[in-house]
Amino acid sequence: SQKIEQNSEALNIQEGKTATLTCNYTNYSPAYLQWYRQDPGRGPVFLLLIRENEKEKRKERLKVTFDTTLKQSLFHITASQPADSATYLCALDTGGFKTIFGAGTRLFVKA
Amino acid sequence: DGGITQSPKYLFRKEGQNVTLSCEQNLNHDAMYWYRQDPGQGLRLIYYSQIVNDFQKGDIAEGYSVSREKKESFPLTVTSAQKNPTAFYLCASSREATGRTGELFFGEGSRLTVL
């Protein structure tokens, strides 16, 4: 069956460290993969999109990698800050207007 | 500022009642979507619309209905046939109308609770 997995356990890190979140998928061949940030009780906010022919994408302190062989994406936040604390969602666009979302990983950055 | 406006933010429904969630966008996007979010689960697609007067069922359309009479508006009705409607509902839009979703712009959500 088709599945997207994100670490359901919260990630706790110290301010200034690099946070690394993982997204694994099975039985999909996505054209591209997206990452969103969601704060409690709010709608998700788009962060980054990476295409299947791209290995890495950067935006300020954010970096995303996409390995279609491993069927995995890694999302990094460097020099993390308490304001980065949120839930981060991985999403795959599989075509036909259907974007499939993972359940998200909660990140806590301690000062 | 352009964006998506959902209302109401919180809604309580008695069993057997239909309720309608509003979604309005001023981004001039063709495609609009309704997702449902439950704790510990990914967002699940209820309905989507690529263009005015056209909409398609998503993965969990049973017990829901939509309309798309205007480009800006995509209301969702949760009917009494939806057996477990308590959830967080998210409306979204995207520029793409070519079969790829692209970046999704979300509203702030509506939390529906069945009493």
Side-chain angles (χ1 to χ4, degrees):
Chain A
S1 63
Q2 299 173 322
K3 205 167 20 172
I4 299 177
E5 289 184 340
Q6 294 185 255
N7 195 339
S8 59
E9 290 184 15
L11 178 63
N12 290 280
I13 64 168
Q14 201 68 33
E15 183 177 11
K17 301 294 186 184
T18 296
T20 298
L21 285 67
T22 304
C23 175
N24 296 296
Y25 61 93
T26 58
N27 298 327
Y28 288 117
S29 295
Y32 47 79
L33 184 146
Q34 302 176 51
W35 284 89
Y36 290 80
R37 169 184 172 139
Q38 187 175 25
D39 291 290
R42 311 280 306 264
V45 175
F46 171 80
L47 296 175
L48 279 168
L49 179 152
I50 186 165
R51 301 182 189 282
E52 59 182 337
N53 59 350
E54 298 175 315
K55 295 295 183 187
E56 182 179 296
K57 201 87 170 272
R58 291 175 185 262
K59 179 182 176 183
E60 297 173 351
R61 294 185 294 112
L62 308 180
K63 185 178 86 171
V64 172
T65 62
F66 191 13
D67 189 324
T68 55
T69 301
L70 290 179
K71 294 188 183 295
Q72 181 182 79
S73 174
L74 299 179
F75 177 78
H76 307 273
I77 305 176
T78 59
S80 59
Q81 304 165 2
D84 295 325
S85 298
T87 297
Y88 291 87
L89 308 178
C90 167
L92 303 179
D93 186 322
T94 60
F97 286 91
K98 292 196 174 182
T99 297
I100 312 296
F101 284 83
T105 299
R106 190 79 191 268
L107 172 67
F108 292 98
V109 181
K110 290 184 277 192
Chain B
D1 287 336
I4 296 185
T5 301
Q6 289 187 240
S7 63
K9 179 71 173 174
Y10 299 96
L11 186 60
F12 298 90
R13 189 194 94 172
K14 293 181 181 179
E15 288 196 21
Q17 282 183 335
N18 293 353
V19 293
T20 297
L21 308 180
S22 170
C23 177
E24 303 280 330
Q25 57 105 350
N26 60 2
L27 299 167
N28 199 32
H29 287 171
D30 287 314
M32 296 187 73
Y33 312 81
W34 274 103
Y35 287 90
R36 169 180 171 142
Q37 187 173 35
D38 295 280
Q41 295 191 43
L43 278 67
R44 291 182 291 166
L45 183 64
I46 304 172
Y47 268 97
Y48 65 95
S49 169
Q50 301 171 47
I51 199 167
V52 174
N53 292 323
D54 183 62
F55 48 82
Q56 307 295 329
K57 292 181 179 180
D59 299 318
I60 55 164
E62 185 175 352
Y64 300 98
S65 66
V66 293
S67 63
R68 187 85 186 275
E69 298 176 0
K70 297 186 299 181
K71 186 175 185 177
E72 303 79 19
S73 179
F74 192 40
L76 173 75
T77 297
V78 185
T79 75
S80 56
Q82 169 51 234
K83 298 306 178 190
N84 185 23
T86 294
F88 190 50
Y89 290 88
L90 288 159
C91 180
S93 70
S94 68
R95 297 185 190 93
E96 308 289 334
T98 56
R100 292 286 181 195
T101 307
E103 174 187 346
L104 286 166
F105 295 77
F106 284 91
E108 290 294 349
S110 293
R111 186 167 298 281
L112 172 63
T113 302
V114 173
L115 301 173

